[in-house]
Amino acid sequence: MIRRIMVLAALCGLGLPPAFAQHKEPSTSYVLKAARMFDGRSNTIVAPGIVVVTDGKITGVGAGANLPSAAEVLDLGDATLLPGFIDAHTHLTMMYREDYAKAALDGLRKPIPEMALDASVNARVTLLAGFTTVRDVGSRDYLDVGLRNAIERGVVPGPRMLVAVHAIGATGGHCDETGYREGALGPETGPEVGVINGPDEARRAVRLAHKYGATIIKTCATGGVLSLADAVDTPQLTQAELDALVDEAHALRLKTAAHAHGAEGAKRAIRAGIDSIEHGSFLDDAGLDLMKQKGTYYVPTLMAVQGLSEQIQKGVPIPPAIKVKAEDAIAHVHLTFQKALAKGVKIGLGTDAAVYPHGRNAEEFHQMVDLGMKPIDALKAGTSGDADLLGLANKTGTLEIGKLADVVAVPGDPVQNIRQTEHVFFVMKEGVIYKNEKLN
């Protein structure tokens, strides 16, 4: 009993109501009404918006839906109902920091339980921003697995999570810890923590990640912006290594994602059959054409660019090697996005949450629209498109009968003003209401 009281007290200290400390099964039928509705798949918004929810699933949609007599009716007024948003590139267990030295020190000094508590706050903020599902693409110490499990059990509120355990990459590459003297972090890294050399180790790393809870596989095919010891666009895995990694993941029925800024590393991943390319700052025409041919998704993470741009403008003391790489990526990624859009490459919404403050995920919608994507297509990218990419299209991503009741509401019409997606005032996940700040 004492332990239970302490847990409840800790949750309340995080600003969470005690009801979140235990799983809350939906037991009520709801009729959600609003002026408009976007079902996640159509090319238009329809009026009126009606979604019927029973036992956590959608049982009716639209004006012709059968309304249960015992259902609780929630009229959300001059608003638009949409499927719960999906973010295909997050790091919920990582904290946003503008002090790079402090962030590095925190990573060495903070106890893992403290990191877990921090992550639970990030999860809650993300859910309340309207994101009911995320793909979390790189963590440490099984923090993502623990957070995923706690959310599934109803211990803490947060989005549904697909997790990678850790990203998989080459020794000394973006997915390895660099910038420290030899031995400072203990023994040399290996497949157990996702650091590989050769196809056999690639397979072993995938199997180990799967063994310990991974539901997606993330790899680093090129250098990165925020790592100290590599150029941003260099390829870091051989074709044989990527072939083995993707083949092993797909044999285990796991989707794959490749961090890839540089064109050559990205093309190796695409040829291997990767499901998505993340960032893609320096993708060339040949790479984009290959993505179009193979149906590979592009997840541009424009909010990462926004977060880094804001830091540079504020004069944040960024390590010189990182600042040079950031400015190079920023100078290219917007043009790459527009080329991908023009070629008809599949585009998913992913933000790289933690490179900017958690909770601002929905700003990715306007970032894409500002670069020429139609608002309705941006909404699809963050709902049905991402559901397809994540392999969850049979469960979520659209407002259809039989799908999980993941529903959000925004003021007005987001097709007329895409930035309305940044003002989510109603959040339902699997029939449980986590936020309802009904408009006056």
Side-chain angles (χ1 to χ4, degrees):
M1 178 60 71
I2 292 174
R3 183 179 181 183
R4 176 177 172 80
I5 291 171
M6 290 175 67
V7 170
L8 289 173
L11 289 170
C12 289
L14 291 173
L16 310 178
F20 282 134
Q22 52 191 343
H23 186 62
K24 183 181 177 184
E25 291 288 348
S27 58
T28 306
S29 291
Y30 295 99
V31 176
L32 308 179
K33 293 185 176 182
R36 290 163 294 276
M37 179 180 71
F38 172 62
D39 66 8
R41 194 184 303 280
S42 302
N43 290 321
T44 58
I45 284 182
V46 300
I50 297 176
V51 177
V52 182
V53 175
T54 303
D55 294 331
K57 291 192 174 182
I58 297 172
T59 55
V61 177
N66 181 39
L67 309 184
S69 57
E72 180 180 351
V73 178
L74 299 177
D75 191 338
L76 301 176
D78 184 20
T80 301
L81 299 174
L82 307 99
F85 300 148
I86 303 173
D87 190 332
H89 193 119
T90 66
H91 298 281
L92 295 188
T93 63
M94 299 180 186
M95 303 303 295
Y96 172 76
R97 288 282 188 270
E98 293 186 355
D99 186 329
Y100 281 73
K102 185 177 186 304
L105 190 59
D106 281 350
L108 296 172
R109 296 179 64 179
K110 271 192 178 183
I112 292 172
E114 184 178 354
M115 294 181 185
L117 288 169
D118 288 343
S120 72
V121 176
N122 297 337
R124 179 178 184 269
V125 167
T126 303
L127 175 64
L128 297 186
F131 287 80
T132 54
T133 304
V134 302
R135 183 174 64 167
D136 208 69
V137 289
S139 185
R140 56 177 287 189
D141 300 309
Y142 303 101
L143 288 164
D144 57 346
V145 175
L147 181 61
R148 185 266 316 272
N149 294 348
I151 290 170
E152 287 183 352
R153 287 171 36 234
V155 175
V156 296
R160 182 179 304 106
M161 293 179 67
L162 298 183
V163 300
V165 176
H166 42 241
I168 298 173
T171 295
H174 183 64
C175 289
D176 194 6
E177 199 72 65
T178 58
Y180 297 90
R181 65 170 174 79
E182 181 184 1
L185 301 179
E188 193 57 73
T189 47
E192 295 81 4
V193 292
V195 179
I196 64 165
N197 296 281
D200 288 344
E201 287 194 353
R203 291 187 184 277
R204 183 162 186 256
V206 169
R207 291 171 181 173
L208 285 169
H210 178 244
K211 176 180 180 179
Y212 291 112
T215 46
I216 61 104
I217 295 298
K218 155 79 174 297
T219 188
C220 292
T222 77
V225 171
L226 299 179
S227 46
L228 287 167
D230 52 1
V232 68
D233 60 346
T234 53
Q236 293 188 343
L237 292 175
T238 67
Q239 190 66 62
E241 287 169 334
L242 283 163
D243 288 346
L245 182 147
V246 175
D247 179 70
E248 193 64 36
H250 285 172
L252 294 169
R253 297 178 183 167
L254 301 178
K255 294 274 192 172
T256 56
H259 160 106
H261 285 283
E264 176 56 33
K267 283 183 281 193
R268 292 180 189 179
I270 298 162
R271 287 192 290 265
I274 206 80
D275 295 293
S276 65
I277 294 293
E278 316 291 303
H279 316 304
S281 303
F282 307 101
L283 281 166
D284 58 18
D285 286 331
L288 291 168
D289 290 341
L290 191 58
M291 292 175 73
K292 170 69 173 177
Q293 175 189 330
K294 286 181 165 286
T296 312
Y297 271 87
Y298 176 37
V299 181
T301 63
L302 300 171
M303 277 303 293
V305 173
Q306 180 66 24
L308 288 168
S309 297
E310 290 174 3
Q311 290 187 20
I312 291 170
Q313 290 167 9
K314 287 192 292 185
V316 170
I318 301 172
I322 290 177
K323 186 177 179 182
V324 168
K325 293 193 289 182
E327 290 174 335
D328 198 14
I330 289 168
H332 287 84
V333 71
H334 287 172
L335 178 59
T336 300
F337 176 89
Q338 291 173 322
K339 288 166 63 176
L341 187 64
K343 288 177 179 289
V345 174
K346 292 181 179 180
I347 296 176
L349 184 147
T351 68
D352 215 355
V355 179
Y356 66 90
H358 293 280
R360 291 175 56 185
N361 312 57
E363 293 181 40
E364 188 80 14
F365 286 110
H366 95 79
Q367 295 282 342
M368 294 193 291
V369 171
D370 290 352
L371 291 173
M373 180 177 271
K374 295 177 181 178
I376 201 78
D377 290 334
L379 293 174
K380 288 180 184 178
T383 53
S384 60
D386 273 356
D388 176 58
L389 168 60
L390 272 57
L392 298 176
N394 64 332
K395 295 181 179 180
T396 190
T398 59
L399 300 179
E400 294 180 285
I401 292 174
K403 297 287 184 72
L404 296 173
D406 295 349
V407 188
V408 301
V410 302
D413 183 346
V415 169
Q416 297 302 313
N417 179 7
I418 194 64
R419 300 205 71 159
Q420 296 289 44
T421 55
E422 298 163 36
H423 303 288
V424 170
F425 68 90
F426 177 87
V427 178
M428 171 182 280
K429 177 189 160 200
E430 293 188 35
V432 177
I433 298 171
Y434 289 90
K435 182 178 185 179
N436 186 8
E437 298 172 354
K438 183 181 176 182
L439 300 173
N440 293 325

